[in-house]
Amino acid sequence: MNIREEFIKYFEKNGHKQIPSSPIVPENDPTVLFNTAGMQPLVPYLMGEKHPYGKRLCDYQKCVRLTDLDEIGDKTHHTFFEMLGNWSLGDYFKKEAIGYSFEFLTKVLNIPLERLAVTVFEGEGKIPRDEVAANRWRELGISEDRIAYLGSKDNFWIAGESGPCGGDTEIFYFRSNDEIPKKFDPEDDRWVEIWNNVFMEFYKDENGNISELKQKNVDTGMGLERIVAVLEGVDDNYKSSIWLDVVDKLEKLTDLSYEGNEKSMRIIVDHIRTSVFIAADPAGIKPSNTDQGYILRRLIRRYIRQARKLGIDINSDFDLEIASLIIKKYEKYYSELSENKNSVLEVLANEKKKFSRTLEKGLREFEKLVSNETKIIDKNVAFKLYDTYGFPIELTLEEASDRGMGVDVDGFYAKFREHQEKSRTASKGKFKGGLSGNSETETKFHTATHLLNAALKEVIGPDVHQLGSNITPERLRFDFPCDHKMTDEEKKKTEDLVNKWIEENLPVEKIEMSKEEAIKSGAECTFIDRYPDLVTVYKIGDVSMELCGGPHVSHTGELGHFKIKKEESSSAGVRRIKAILE
Ligand code: SER
């Protein structure tokens, strides 16, 4: 069964018009690098603008999500994926939407009722528990045991931090041959989420205020790779019909078997597919050091490194053959692939050429600079490899680990910063998908922690940096290097500085940039090797700039009064501060 086509057919039969997939690089939205959900190109229409195709729409939308970049290589994550969706723009609402989802799953896809379960929004603040949705599920035959109410962390949807949003109901499928438990437990990962129905009736502004939208909308999303894998009964997405022939081809081209090489092979096919779609986009993206071009470059270089790791001859055309197969598989749905085929292949080939020159030269130098006796590659060697031979630190790490060596990464970054002029080349704020689970108080503590770090640098010295941090709703905790017990005067000075910055009501800016840009900008980058290639930097006035996942308040004035409750030893040479906001 072709699920994509069945989906469109079903919704067309129910009065929906199919809209074409928008480009993955948003046409009119400079705040995001890529479309991350089917609803993104529809934001103006969810807000009330009239859509030329009417009030009932359906489509399959190309999406790229980079928040999961480090997860690629497992069974279920992808950087590129397609989302099937149907929308009501101020037309039908909960009852009909749930009815359509239920009918499509049970009548068109023939999923047995006993394999299904749902979560419903429990309500929060002024928004009540969604009994309308729950009652509709009951009416359709979903038993009480199979309905779970969850809070906003799970069942409230928004793209990023502001925009149209609302409570949602998510549909789960029992993917296992085990006996199906009577009671649904959303934490039990044999239940996998297959479809989300968002009831978009609110708008959240930049300050977090929620108001009602002009109209009540429905926004649904079903990940194609997941539903296909689920229905085909495979627990590894890369074994479903979406990937099988691609993985097969990679095995043949390289004489390697998927078995035993899963992680690298998944990264290779995933990244080639995403690179193909980015390079084919009408936006005409080329590998570069900024924005989408930077992502394209990282993806291409990453799959080449993985290929090298498997011993694949990177100068062969293995990548172009895979790319051609992907183009052939998808061109029926996305005409830009065949239209731009030559330029896509050229982009991939050129970037590989460029990278392999760096790679070969760097590898030769690596051998010269690093002796077999080396246990830890010295920061100066790592920096020379980077600075003189263009060897990215990730590669030094990889080469080192293949030889059982370590790398002084912190030392490398310290040197890196020393040698870089501070260039604050921040691009505009760009959001990542997902609602944060942090409470307001914890958010405030996050921001206060950055201020504390900055204040300690002034009071104790520039070597202060974060060695550990822990936040609870009651207090923040911060560990930092310092060789003495802080004096009362030092503590007071630190508090006074933080409180001065709070009184100044400094703006907190969120900036997304590449890791390299972040390092160059002089931002605090402790543990940078744990971060993905695209990072978020929070800048507080001119006093602090730190790599961090957030969330943060928008102005320091929101924090209240900062007070150090305790200063104690954490371990040799490390002090610990516990502080509160009053
Ligand atoms: N916008 C929702 C999601 O991405 C439903 O499409 O999950």
Side-chain angles (χ1 to χ4, degrees):
M1 186 194 310
N2 186 323
I3 294 171
R4 180 204 307 273
E5 282 162 22
E6 290 297 331
F7 182 88
I8 299 295
K9 204 162 80 191
Y10 173 80
F11 281 98
E12 280 184 341
K13 199 178 81 200
N14 285 291
H16 293 67
K17 283 260 169 26
Q18 183 189 351
I19 51 169
S21 174
S22 290
I24 14 178
V25 176
E27 286 166 304
N28 300 311
D29 188 353
T31 63
V32 282
L33 290 179
F34 299 106
N35 272 317
T36 57
M39 52 71 70
Q40 227 148 26
L42 293 171
V43 170
Y45 311 103
L46 294 163
M47 305 278 294
E49 207 174 292
K50 221 166 147 254
H51 194 285
Y53 283 51
K55 292 181 172 176
R56 291 177 176 224
L57 312 174
C58 62
D59 75 0
Y60 40 89
Q61 172 65 43
K62 291 166 286 191
C63 302
V64 169
R65 282 190 191 175
L66 299 164
T67 38
D68 294 331
L69 201 58
D70 287 340
E71 312 275 344
I72 311 299
D74 70 7
K75 292 177 177 179
T76 54
H77 284 89
H78 310 288
T79 44
F80 168 92
F81 63 96
E82 292 173 274
M83 203 184 256
L84 303 171
N86 60 285
W87 287 272
S88 155
L89 302 172
D91 189 26
Y92 61 83
F93 205 42
K94 297 180 183 176
K95 208 167 141 62
E96 295 87 332
I98 292 175
Y100 289 142
S101 294
F102 185 78
E103 188 175 52
F104 180 71
L105 293 174
T106 57
K107 298 275 164 25
V108 181
L109 301 185
N110 292 318
I111 296 180
L113 186 64
E114 64 269 20
R115 289 216 171 252
L116 294 176
V118 299
T119 57
V120 170
F121 185 40
E122 186 177 54
E124 200 171 288
K126 288 189 191 122
I127 310 173
R129 176 188 257 239
D130 193 353
E131 285 302 350
V132 177
N135 282 334
R136 179 61 172 148
W137 286 119
R138 290 182 189 109
E139 204 175 280
L140 291 166
I142 300 282
S143 73
E144 210 53 48
D145 277 336
R146 294 288 175 79
I147 301 177
Y149 292 92
L150 296 177
S152 63
K153 199 169 132 292
D154 297 287
N155 282 62
F156 192 90
W157 205 91
I158 185 167
E161 255 116 69
S162 71
C165 54
D168 64 41
T169 179
E170 298 181 5
I171 308 167
F172 288 71
Y173 174 90
F174 191 71
R175 168 162 67 177
S176 163
N177 293 327
D178 300 347
E179 196 185 323
I180 313 176
K182 203 165 149 272
K183 190 150 179 67
F184 164 51
D185 172 8
E187 296 289 314
D188 177 345
D189 58 16
R190 291 173 300 173
W191 290 99
V192 291
E193 188 215 322
I194 51 171
W195 201 349
N196 190 6
N197 272 234
V198 185
F199 305 118
M200 291 206 159
E201 48 182 328
F202 302 112
Y203 182 81
K204 190 172 177 190
D205 69 21
E206 272 97 39
N207 301 320
N209 301 318
I210 291 201
S211 56
E212 276 185 29
L213 280 175
K214 264 200 244 157
Q215 62 192 33
K216 290 187 192 308
N217 309 290
V218 174
D219 153 45
T220 90
M222 174 153 60
L224 184 63
E225 0 298 274
R226 185 172 301 171
I227 189 76
V228 168
V230 158
L231 292 177
E232 291 179 358
V234 291
D235 76 338
D236 174 350
N237 284 7
Y238 294 83
K239 287 189 172 164
S240 84
S241 54
I242 292 187
W243 286 110
L244 210 57
D245 51 343
V246 181
V247 172
D248 223 48
K249 177 139 196 153
L250 185 61
E251 283 185 314
K252 291 211 176 78
L253 285 167
T254 59
D255 242 349
L256 291 165
S257 94
Y258 179 60
E259 224 60 50
N261 294 312
E262 291 91 343
K263 187 167 180 218
S264 294
M265 284 200 166
R266 289 177 192 138
I267 297 177
I268 293 171
V269 292
D270 172 88
H271 285 14
I272 294 182
R273 181 173 72 166
T274 309
S275 303
V276 164
F277 274 94
I278 297 177
D281 195 87
I285 306 295
K286 297 276 180 295
S288 73
N289 287 329
T290 53
D291 295 341
Q292 290 94 346
Y294 175 73
I295 302 299
L296 179 57
R297 168 159 287 167
R298 298 302 299 169
L299 291 168
I300 296 175
R301 294 188 171 202
R302 213 156 177 235
Y303 72 67
I304 292 171
R305 283 190 4 237
Q306 290 298 327
R308 254 197 84 252
K309 227 170 150 177
L310 290 184
I312 297 172
D313 172 9
I314 59 167
N315 295 316
S316 73
D317 279 348
F318 80 97
D319 47 350
L320 304 185
E321 299 249 2
I322 297 289
S324 302
L325 174 60
I326 284 168
I327 292 173
K328 197 157 133 242
K329 270 175 84 94
Y330 285 95
E331 63 189 358
K332 180 169 165 207
Y333 306 111
Y334 303 110
S335 58
E336 74 270 22
L337 294 181
S338 41
E339 282 155 22
N340 299 329
K341 180 172 175 179
N342 291 342
S343 73
V344 169
L345 297 180
E346 213 176 285
V347 162
L348 302 192
N350 284 345
E351 183 61 16
K352 183 168 74 175
K353 226 186 271 161
K354 232 185 228 165
F355 185 48
S356 57
R357 275 202 296 268
T358 309
L359 208 58
E360 275 164 37
K361 217 165 52 192
L363 282 173
R364 274 200 303 273
E365 290 312 316
F366 185 96
E367 299 297 343
K368 275 194 221 152
L369 287 168
V370 176
S371 88
N372 288 336
E373 312 291 298
T374 312
K375 290 251 167 350
I376 302 280
I377 296 180
D378 181 77
K379 62 179 180 197
N380 296 318
V381 172
F383 188 73
K384 183 159 188 202
L385 280 165
Y386 170 81
D387 193 42
T388 318
Y389 304 106
F391 220 55
I393 185 71
E394 290 90 347
L395 197 55
T396 303
L397 274 165
E398 218 170 271
E399 289 299 322
S401 108
D402 284 352
R403 294 165 172 78
M405 301 170 184
V407 182
D408 177 7
V409 179
D410 287 346
F412 167 83
Y413 284 119
K415 253 193 109 59
F416 192 113
R417 278 198 296 268
E418 252 172 56
H419 280 72
Q420 299 298 322
E421 280 209 350
K422 291 197 175 187
S423 65
R424 306 202 171 211
T425 51
S427 51
K428 292 178 72 166
K430 295 188 168 91
F431 71 65
K432 285 182 179 163
L435 241 198
S436 125
N438 286 66
S439 75
E440 205 179 302
T441 326
E442 286 162 288
T443 305
K444 287 183 184 166
F445 279 136
H446 270 288
T447 312
T449 303
H450 286 210
L451 292 180
L452 173 61
N453 192 352
L456 287 169
K457 274 191 210 309
E458 291 203 11
V459 177
I460 307 286
D463 289 340
V464 165
H465 59 271
Q466 177 177 317
L467 287 175
S469 154
N470 171 275
I471 283 169
T472 71
E474 282 75 44
R475 54 115 185 97
L476 67 83
R477 195 182 79 198
F478 186 78
D479 295 349
F480 59 101
C482 173
D483 60 4
H484 64 274
K485 182 175 169 54
M486 280 176 80
T487 62
D488 287 344
E489 200 196 333
E490 282 172 335
K491 281 192 271 185
K492 171 131 190 356
K493 261 197 192 157
T494 306
E495 278 178 347
D496 288 350
L497 250 181
V498 172
N499 283 320
K500 178 177 142 262
W501 291 330
I502 292 178
E503 268 156 42
E504 284 169 2
N505 199 20
L506 303 169
V508 182
E509 246 178 287
K510 180 180 179 186
I511 305 158
E512 204 159 276
M513 57 176 91
S514 69
K515 225 180 196 178
E516 282 169 21
E517 268 183 297
I519 297 161
K520 275 191 218 155
S521 74
E524 272 279 300
C525 297
T526 322
F527 310 127
I528 188 148
D529 47 321
R530 290 191 201 156
Y531 284 88
D533 290 332
L534 194 67
V535 299
T536 317
V537 168
Y538 280 88
K539 180 173 180 290
I540 309 180
D542 283 326
V543 307
S544 155
M545 205 159 158
E546 258 192 63
L547 214 93
C548 174
H552 287 275
V553 301
S554 68
H555 285 86
T556 55
E558 292 161 48
L559 298 184
H561 189 79
F562 175 84
K563 196 165 164 51
I564 295 179
K565 290 296 274 189
K566 207 168 188 172
E567 192 274 340
E568 59 192 348
S569 161
S570 159
S571 58
V574 179
R575 304 298 299 178
R576 166 169 291 180
I577 282 182
K578 288 186 182 154
I580 56 165
L581 291 166
E582 304 173 310

